[in-house]
Amino acid sequence: MASSFSIAHVTPYPWEAQENEVNAYVQRVSSELSRRGHRVLVLAPSRSQERVRGSRRELRAARGRPESLLEGTDQGTPRVIAVGEVLDVPSSARRRPSALSIDVARTVEELLTTVELDFVHVHEPFAPSTSNAALRHSRALNVGSFHAPNERLLSTLVARRFVESFFGRLDARTASLPATVELMARHFPGDYRLIGDGDGAVEALEGIYEALAARRHERSGDPALKRRLEKRALIDVDLHMHTDHSHDCATPVEVLLATAHTQGLGAIAVTDHNEISGALEARAQAEEAGVKVIVGEEVKTAGQGEVIGLFIEEKIPRGLSLKETVAEISRQGGLVYVPHPFDRMHSVPDYEHLLTILDDVDAIEVFNPRVAIGAFNEEAARFAAKYRIIAGAGSDSHVAQGLGSVRIRMRDFDSAQEFLQSLRDADILTRPSSLLYVQALKFLQTKATPPAAREASRARRVKRVKRGRRAPGRRGGGR
């Protein structure tokens, strides 16, 4: 075996129900994976109060050192953790998971956000269930296995669109029977690999794990460059903002730079929509303003979302495919930065398209204060964590008042390579802000203001900034 992984297998059925074919399957494959040297946990609900209390004692004892839960689980005996107590279900509904008790999701969330796992392998992850809760909170690579060949009315008919979107978190899907493959592919389209319950099942699963793990990004970067950067000063950086060179922003370049300096930002990335002129203008004024400027562009692709190119020099046309846009960023020696990747309120690449450019993504925006639903930021953070993609953040400011509402504290840099290495060890700092307030300002400064008044306002704002730059004692800190 080439690699050893940490894996959690999750079943929706009470662990005591060993006559259940799913539990029996989980028992067999998890034990064999453990014998092969993988560290394996089994997460399951339980009918036993004593078993649940024992698991909670283990979890409390491991809070200071969560990796201890995996110790000894690579010698043929996986650790079974009872994540909560459930009631028995009627015998006529043996295939249906037991109702999810109120504390199960909380226990699953605590475990999956503290124990570092390579894979969370969920079985029958339909809601409400332990498997579904695990898929919701996992920060690892996710494999979903489907066993039952019969219709599930609540999932396949009533909530089909939601379930289909939720299953997008699965990085691989397997099915035990040809009938299950046909059923799942019909209701929830995807690539289902048929893996039976006989000989060879574990080897097939290991092959899936190996292939998925190979897609993760390398963690440490350049050790020599990291040591060199450790001697640099820490600066605050905002990686996503707009000027009036964007169609939906009225902030002049001069005002943006002055505000960034006032906010204590050492560097900013100017990322206008489908335009690079504002970023180039900002860079030309950077030294006088005392702020370092990264030239960027937020490019709208042909129906596959937006992507930002950082450290570029030429405008990239909108309307190219996602792959073509990424290729053009790379051709210029730039960095591929994916903004608000799962915000359904923006034009975003879905899982399917994002996975096609996974190897070329340099960083991903895991926090954007203009994302109205926090779960979308959380989904971006989970995606970055499981594929080990470098995390970034930016205010996505369209008004000067929003600038620096999120910032990255990182070592100073002088090139794209130094920037990327520094970003690996950066801290993302957020502060409370009102999305309604900045959105209202954006509306007032753009759509609610007539063009003539907008131009007059722009002239006044630029004049004030230039007067401030000429004032005695003004010093530029940029390079």
Side-chain angles (χ1 to χ4, degrees):
M1 182 185 65
S3 303
S4 174
F5 299 118
S6 55
I7 309 164
H9 275 264
V10 189
T11 174
Y13 300 100
W15 192 240
E16 292 75 17
Q18 282 302 305
E19 75 283 358
N20 178 284
E21 59 268 38
V22 174
N23 281 357
Y25 178 87
V26 170
Q27 175 68 60
R28 284 193 295 274
V29 299
S30 61
S31 296
E32 181 59 25
L33 288 167
S34 176
R35 281 192 291 272
R36 290 169 175 258
H38 300 284
R39 296 178 299 164
V40 185
L41 301 177
V42 173
L43 311 186
S46 175
R47 296 171 181 151
S48 167
Q49 289 184 350
E50 183 54 40
R51 186 189 291 271
V52 172
R53 283 196 293 265
S55 292
R56 287 180 178 165
R57 285 193 294 269
E58 286 184 306
L59 292 174
R60 285 194 298 269
R63 279 177 181 168
R65 200 167 64 89
E67 66 275 12
S68 64
L69 290 172
L70 292 164
E71 292 175 353
T73 63
D74 55 355
Q75 300 171 20
T77 305
R79 172 171 277 126
V80 178
I81 297 179
V83 294
E85 188 178 1
V86 294
L87 301 174
D88 285 335
V89 294
S91 58
S92 61
R94 287 189 307 164
R95 280 192 169 275
R96 191 180 65 208
S98 303
L100 194 67
S101 61
I102 193 168
D103 62 331
V104 170
R106 188 181 304 116
T107 303
V108 169
E109 180 180 11
E110 178 185 353
L111 194 151
L112 295 185
T113 54
T114 56
V115 180
E116 186 172 355
L117 295 165
D118 294 303
F119 296 95
V120 171
H121 192 141
V122 292
H123 298 264
E124 305 284 46
F126 296 95
S129 71
T130 304
S131 295
N132 185 267
L135 184 57
R136 184 179 303 277
H137 296 294
S138 170
R139 297 174 69 87
L141 292 162
N142 301 312
V143 178
S145 288
F146 299 88
H147 302 271
N150 59 311
E151 293 279 355
R152 294 172 177 271
L153 293 179
L154 286 178
S155 295
T156 59
L157 299 179
V158 177
R160 185 184 305 172
R161 290 178 63 86
F162 170 77
V163 176
E164 185 173 355
S165 173
F166 192 66
F167 282 177
R169 297 182 182 183
L170 293 171
D171 301 285
R173 309 183 192 195
T174 78
S176 298
L177 299 168
T180 308
V181 172
E182 192 277 331
L183 174 71
M184 294 303 301
R186 183 171 73 249
H187 289 294
F188 306 112
D191 181 15
Y192 294 86
R193 180 169 172 181
L194 179 62
I195 297 180
D197 192 15
D199 295 339
V202 172
E203 290 88 344
L205 291 178
E206 283 185 318
I208 290 174
Y209 299 154
E210 289 278 1
L212 290 177
R215 301 209 66 188
R216 295 184 297 193
H217 288 208
E218 194 276 323
R219 266 182 168 161
S220 60
D222 185 338
L225 184 56
K226 179 179 180 179
R227 288 192 297 270
R228 188 161 74 246
L229 289 172
E230 286 172 351
K231 301 175 183 178
R232 302 275 184 88
L234 288 168
I235 62 172
D236 286 355
V237 182
D238 187 335
L239 289 181
H240 189 173
M241 65 191 64
H242 300 271
T243 74
D244 57 5
H245 292 246
S246 283
H247 69 279
D248 57 351
C249 178
T251 305
V253 167
E254 293 84 354
V255 174
L256 184 81
L257 291 170
T259 306
H261 181 84
T262 302
Q263 288 288 340
L265 293 170
I268 59 175
V270 179
T271 56
D272 285 320
H273 294 293
N274 310 301
E275 185 53 72
I276 198 174
S277 56
L280 293 173
E281 186 178 320
R283 186 174 65 181
Q285 301 179 35
E287 184 172 0
E288 184 182 5
V291 180
K292 185 175 296 185
V293 172
I294 300 169
V295 175
E297 179 186 356
E298 186 171 12
V299 188
K300 190 166 187 177
T301 67
Q304 297 171 315
E306 295 173 316
V307 63
I308 288 176
L310 299 175
F311 294 92
I312 60 176
E313 295 294 331
E314 302 170 17
K315 177 180 175 179
I316 300 171
R318 66 177 293 174
L320 301 176
S321 71
L322 186 59
K323 283 188 174 182
E324 289 170 336
T325 305
V326 166
E328 177 57 24
I329 294 170
S330 299
R331 184 193 68 78
Q332 295 189 34
L335 301 179
V336 177
Y337 181 49
V338 181
H340 42 67
F342 301 111
D343 181 6
R344 307 301 188 263
M345 311 294 286
H346 283 80
S347 174
V348 297
D350 56 23
Y351 264 86
E352 178 185 1
H353 292 124
L354 196 52
L355 288 174
T356 66
I357 62 165
L358 188 63
D359 295 341
D360 300 308
V361 173
D362 294 297
I364 190 169
E365 188 176 72
V366 301
F367 186 83
N368 180 319
R370 292 187 67 241
V371 170
I373 300 175
F376 296 152
N377 279 328
E378 293 168 7
E379 193 169 354
R382 280 193 298 269
F383 189 89
K386 69 180 179 179
Y387 282 108
R388 298 176 179 174
I389 303 171
I390 299 172
S395 63
D396 196 1
S397 174
H398 286 67
V399 295
Q401 291 85 344
L403 198 62
S405 53
V406 58
R407 54 188 65 201
I408 302 168
R409 188 153 294 165
M410 59 192 293
R411 298 291 176 181
D412 201 357
F413 53 88
D414 289 319
S415 67
Q417 291 70 33
E418 287 187 352
F419 166 83
L420 200 59
Q421 180 63 50
S422 180
L423 192 58
R424 291 178 181 275
D425 302 309
D427 294 318
I428 296 175
L429 310 175
T430 64
R431 67 184 187 191
S433 62
S434 171
L435 176 59
L436 180 61
Y437 171 65
V438 294
Q439 289 294 85
L441 285 176
K442 175 185 172 183
F443 175 78
L444 290 172
Q445 292 178 14
T446 54
K447 296 182 179 180
T449 305
R454 200 158 57 231
E455 184 57 35
S457 173
R458 182 188 190 283
R460 289 194 300 272
R461 296 167 78 188
V462 171
K463 185 177 180 180
R464 282 196 298 268
V465 169
K466 290 183 175 179
R467 188 165 58 240
R469 287 182 183 175
R470 292 194 297 267
R474 169 74 182 186
R475 295 187 303 158
R479 287 191 252 165

